[in-house]
Amino acid sequence: MSKSPAQFAQAAQELCVLPDIYLKLTEMLANDECKLDDIADVISLEPAIAASLLKIANSAMFSFPKQIDSINKALILLGLSQVKKLVDAYGVTAAFSSINPEITDMERFWEISVECALICQFLAQRKNISNADNIFLSGLFHNLGLLAIVHNAPDAVQFCERYTSNETPWHRQQETFGFTFADCSAELLEQWQLPLTIVTPIKEFNHAFQEELDAPSNLLYVASRLAVYNSHPGLYSKKTIVGQHILDSLGLTEEDIDAAIEHCNEQALELLAAFPIY
C-alpha cells in the first residue's frame, strides 16, 4: 500500500527535527510582550543563526545603506515581521541540512528553491500583489516534500528528479506517487504549525492551470516553473512551461518575467550562502 503525503511527512519529522533555537525563538516571537533585547540575546547565543541573520540582513534583499553589524540593529531595522520570516527560513532549512547529498542533488534542490523564493518576492513587489507577505517562504519551502520522502523512497525520488523535456517534474511526481512533492511539503509545514499564509499557496499552486486560485497561489505556480526553467537552460520553453492565461491573471508581461529571472540570477548565490543548507 502506497503512503500518503501526510504519512511521509510524519515519518520525516522523526529524522528532520526543528532546531531547539528555532522553537525557542518562535515561542518568543509569538509573545506580544517579548522585548527585542531578549530576542537578540537568544539569537546571539547561537552563532549559526546569528551569522545567517546578519548575512541575510546585509544582503541585496534589503539593500540597507549601511552595514548591519549587530543583532540588535538587525532586529530594529528589519522589524519583527521580517525577523519571524528569517527565523522560519533558518529553522526549516536547518532541519534538512543533514540530508545525504549522494541520495539527491542537494545543490540543485536548494538552487531551485531559493530561485523560486526570489522570483516570488520580486514579482509580488513589482506587481503589488496583495496578501503575499509570506510568498518568499512559500517559494523557499514549496519543494521540501522531496526531502521528506527521500529517506523512505530514494529510488522513486531519484526517478522523479530525472525528468526530461517530454514531461514536467510535477507530472512525473504525480505519476510516481499519486501526488506531488508540494503536497507533502504542505503536510509537513502544517504539522510544524507554520502559518497558513505560507502553507496554502504550497497546497494549491500545482492546480493553478486547471482552477481559479488567488494571486499568491498563482504567483507560486509561475515562480516554481520559472525556477526549473532557469536551472535547466534549454530544457523547457519559457512560455509553454508557465501558461499565458496564468500570467495574464497576474498582469505579468514577458518584461516582468525577464526582470524576475535577472533579479534571481543576481541574488541567488548570496542568499544560498546565508542559509544552513549544505
Side-chain angles (χ1 to χ4, degrees):
M1 180 178 176
S2 59
K3 290 185 178 180
S4 68
Q7 288 171 321
F8 275 115
Q10 184 60 47
Q13 288 207 67
E14 300 172 6
L15 296 169
C16 304
V17 181
L18 291 169
D20 290 341
I21 183 68
Y22 167 78
L23 299 174
K24 174 65 175 176
L25 285 170
T26 299
E27 180 182 348
M28 294 178 72
L29 287 164
N31 183 354
D32 293 337
E33 297 182 3
C34 190
K35 298 177 181 178
L36 281 178
D37 287 345
D38 295 333
I39 296 172
D41 288 344
V42 171
I43 292 175
S44 298
L45 292 174
E46 180 61 45
I49 191 170
S52 292
L53 182 64
L54 289 176
K55 281 182 183 178
I56 296 169
N58 283 296
S59 74
M61 275 181 64
F62 297 104
S63 300
F64 289 119
K66 294 182 179 180
Q67 184 176 24
I68 300 174
D69 55 7
S70 73
I71 297 299
N72 290 74
K73 190 183 294 184
L75 296 186
I76 293 170
L77 291 174
L78 292 171
L80 286 181
S81 177
Q82 287 290 355
V83 171
K84 177 67 169 67
K85 293 177 189 177
L86 298 182
V87 168
D88 281 337
Y90 175 88
V92 175
T93 54
F96 288 98
S97 61
S98 61
I99 294 286
N100 185 347
E102 295 181 3
I103 299 177
T104 189
D105 187 342
M106 294 298 292
E107 184 172 346
R108 184 172 72 172
F109 172 86
W110 285 117
E111 176 189 341
I112 291 174
S113 298
V114 166
E115 289 187 0
C116 181
L118 287 169
I119 292 170
C120 277
Q121 183 182 58
F122 178 87
L123 291 177
Q125 293 173 347
R126 186 178 177 102
K127 306 305 291 188
N128 294 316
I129 293 174
S130 61
N131 302 319
D133 289 344
N134 282 317
I135 197 64
F136 176 88
L137 293 182
S138 297
L140 186 65
F141 299 154
H142 80 284
N143 212 30
L144 282 179
L146 181 157
L147 304 186
I149 296 169
V150 72
H151 282 293
N152 290 290
D155 292 340
V157 169
Q158 288 172 341
F159 171 74
C160 288
E161 288 298 276
R162 292 194 292 268
Y163 46 83
T164 68
S165 60
N166 295 323
E167 60 181 338
T168 66
W170 310 279
H171 179 267
R172 183 169 283 205
Q173 293 161 24
Q174 188 71 46
E175 289 292 306
T176 302
F177 289 102
F179 56 84
T180 66
F181 293 155
D183 295 322
C184 189
S185 305
E187 289 286 349
L188 181 64
L189 296 173
E190 281 188 335
Q191 290 179 22
W192 278 343
Q193 299 182 335
L194 265 72
L196 287 178
T197 50
I198 297 172
V199 178
T200 299
I202 297 173
K203 184 179 293 187
E204 295 180 347
F205 78 96
N206 275 322
H207 304 290
F209 203 85
Q210 298 86 14
E211 301 176 14
E212 289 189 14
L213 302 177
D214 63 9
S217 297
N218 283 336
L219 182 57
L220 182 55
Y221 179 96
V222 170
S224 66
R225 271 64 183 168
L226 290 177
V228 169
Y229 161 82
N230 196 44
S231 67
H232 300 286
L235 187 64
Y236 297 108
S237 161
K238 181 169 50 177
K239 289 184 178 179
T240 57
I241 197 173
V242 175
Q244 187 62 45
H245 70 290
I246 299 177
L247 296 177
D248 291 343
S249 74
L250 294 167
L252 294 173
T253 65
E254 187 169 349
E255 181 184 352
D256 294 324
I257 297 305
D258 290 341
I261 291 175
E262 182 179 358
H263 168 82
C264 165
N265 292 338
E266 289 173 352
Q267 294 198 19
L269 287 177
E270 183 180 18
L271 202 56
L272 281 165
F275 290 129
I277 54 183
Y278 295 125

